[in-house]
């Protein structure tokens, strides 16, 4: 009997692309909005996983790059009428540069010190934007609907944002896969296991961690630019929402730290659970408490996450699930 092995990455990308096409084929705006958010969460979770899962550095403030990308792109579109796609790319570059600048000093820290520093950076950026009048200060910025004219109207702009978020999610997953499978990825995982030993065998931890941090900052910036372009409004509290950053960590832990499929599964499952809780009269006010309980249960009893547990329980799956 001939066994056919389906390549992991093409299969995952095909499945996500087919799922993303469902609201377009069925002309279901409600499903499109739900999947838009799921794709954004997949991007955020996969990006965090590239620094947390591969190097072991837990970044609580990774949402700062989401906010920076959103603000810069929004300002470019509002002030210079820059096309959304160009503004999104232009916003991701400064976010990546900022990751390099702040990554050099803070990635020398370890454990809780690094985690707390990322929270501090996010809160500092939120305070800066709150007082930075060119970006609207505490009130933020908002679009006049006329800005969507060049895209064919607000409806067509919403479709453009959806297509863009789909591409960003697919690009993030692809990058995460190739990083994990590369020699560079092995260096990151060596740092995660024991940084001192990694140095002994010739790995430069400082350089490797900064590069990983820069890569992990690029995609949240694109997601932020896309999200706020679609919303038509941006303000500091929403752009630098620490809760969203913590939720990304929960998704990674739930799905499986250090795996490519883990953040995808975790994001989809977490968003489904959150949607159920919000729309349920009994549990609506307990959403955050139950999310915390879910994280606690996962950490205590399913330490490898859902995908990691499957890989550990069924070794044959390791060849198929990354």
């Amino acid at each position: 009997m001939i066994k056919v092995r389906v390549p992991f990455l093409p299969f995952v990308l095909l499945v996500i692309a087919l799922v993303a096409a469902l609201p377009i084929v069925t002309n279901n705006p409600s499903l499109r909005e739900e999947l838009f958010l799921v794709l954004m969460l997949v991007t955020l979770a996969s990006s965090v996983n590239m620094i947390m899962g591969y190097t072991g550095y837990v970044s609580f403030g990774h949402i700062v790059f989401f906010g920076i990308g959103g603000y810069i792109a929004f300002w470019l579109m509002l002030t210079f009428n820059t096309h959304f796609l160009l503004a999104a790319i232009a916003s991701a570059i400064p976010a990546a540069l900022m990751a390099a600048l702040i990554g050099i000093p803070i990635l020398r820290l370890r454990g809780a010190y690094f985690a707390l520093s990322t929270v501090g950076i996010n809160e500092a950026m939120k305070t800066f934007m709150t007082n930075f009048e060119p970006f609207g200060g505490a009130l933020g910025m908002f679009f006049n609907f006329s800005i969507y004219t060049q895209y064919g109207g607000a409806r067509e702009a919403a479709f453009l944002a959806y297509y863009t978020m789909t591409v960003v999610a697919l690009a993030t997953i692809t990058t995460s896969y190739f990083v994990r499978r590369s020699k560079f990825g092995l260096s990151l995982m060596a740092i995660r296991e024991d940084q001192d030993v990694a140095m002994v065998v010739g790995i430069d931890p400082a350089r490797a961690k900064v590069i990983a941090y820069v890569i992990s900052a690029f995609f949240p910036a694109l997601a932020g630019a896309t999200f706020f372009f679609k919303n038509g409004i941006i303000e500091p509290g929403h752009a630098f929402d620490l809760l969203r950053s913590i939720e990304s960590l929960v998704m990674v832990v739930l799905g499986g730290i250090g795996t490519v499929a883990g953040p995808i599964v975790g994001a989809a499952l977490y968003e489904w659970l959150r949607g159920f809780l919000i729309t349920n009269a009994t549990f609506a006010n307990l959403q955050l408490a139950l999310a915390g309980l879910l994280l606690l249960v996962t950490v205590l009893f399913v330490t490898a996450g859902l995908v990691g547990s499957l890989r550990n329980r069924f070794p044959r799956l390791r060849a198929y699930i990354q």
Side-chain angles (χ1 to χ4, degrees), residues 108-131:
R108 295 182 181 277
L109 304 173
R110 299 191 190 185
Y113 298 104
F114 171 79
L116 289 174
S117 70
T118 61
V119 174
I121 289 169
N122 183 70
E123 294 306 301
M125 184 57 66
K126 182 196 294 186
T127 302
F128 173 78
M129 289 299 182
T130 301
N131 295 280

Side-chain angles (χ1 to χ4, degrees), residues 33-211:
E33 293 302 306
E34 291 175 12
L35 289 179
F36 177 87
L37 188 56
V38 170
L39 290 167
M40 185 185 79
L41 295 178
V42 167
T43 300
L44 294 178
S46 295
S47 299
V48 169
N49 186 53
M50 277 190 265
I51 187 68
M52 182 175 81
Y54 297 164
T55 70
Y57 275 65
V58 182
S59 176
F60 277 96
H62 219 66
I63 199 68
V64 68
F65 305 115
F66 177 84
I68 290 171
Y71 258 102
I72 294 177
F74 208 99
W75 178 74
L76 289 173
M77 288 183 280
L78 187 64
T79 307
F80 302 104
N81 199 29
T82 308
H83 191 279
F84 156 61
L85 295 177
L86 181 60
I89 295 172
S91 70
I93 296 172
L97 290 175
M98 179 181 174
L101 290 175
I102 66 176
I104 292 172
I106 70 171
L107 285 167
R108 295 182 181 277
L109 304 173
R110 299 191 190 185
Y113 298 104
F114 171 79
L116 289 174
S117 70
T118 61
V119 174
I121 289 169
N122 183 70
E123 294 306 301
M125 184 57 66
K126 182 196 294 186
T127 302
F128 173 78
M129 289 299 182
T130 301
N131 295 280
F132 191 59
E133 289 305 322
F135 280 7
L139 297 177
M141 299 179 284
F142 62 90
F143 285 148
N144 185 303
F145 274 102
S146 62
I147 205 165
Y148 294 121
T149 303
Q150 64 175 312
Y151 309 103
R155 181 177 180 275
E156 295 303 318
F159 276 102
L160 175 61
Y162 180 73
Y163 298 143
T164 303
M165 192 64 81
T166 302
V167 172
V168 170
L170 294 175
T172 309
I173 294 166
T174 302
T175 303
S176 178
Y177 173 83
F178 282 112
V179 167
R180 188 178 187 275
R181 300 274 294 182
S182 67
K183 182 179 178 181
F184 172 65
L186 292 176
S187 299
L188 296 179
M189 286 182 272
I191 294 170
R192 179 188 65 192
E193 297 304 321
D194 193 316
Q195 183 166 306
D196 296 326
V197 173
M199 292 177 65
V200 171
V201 298
I203 296 172
D204 183 353
R207 179 174 175 273
K209 288 184 294 184
V210 169
I211 293 174

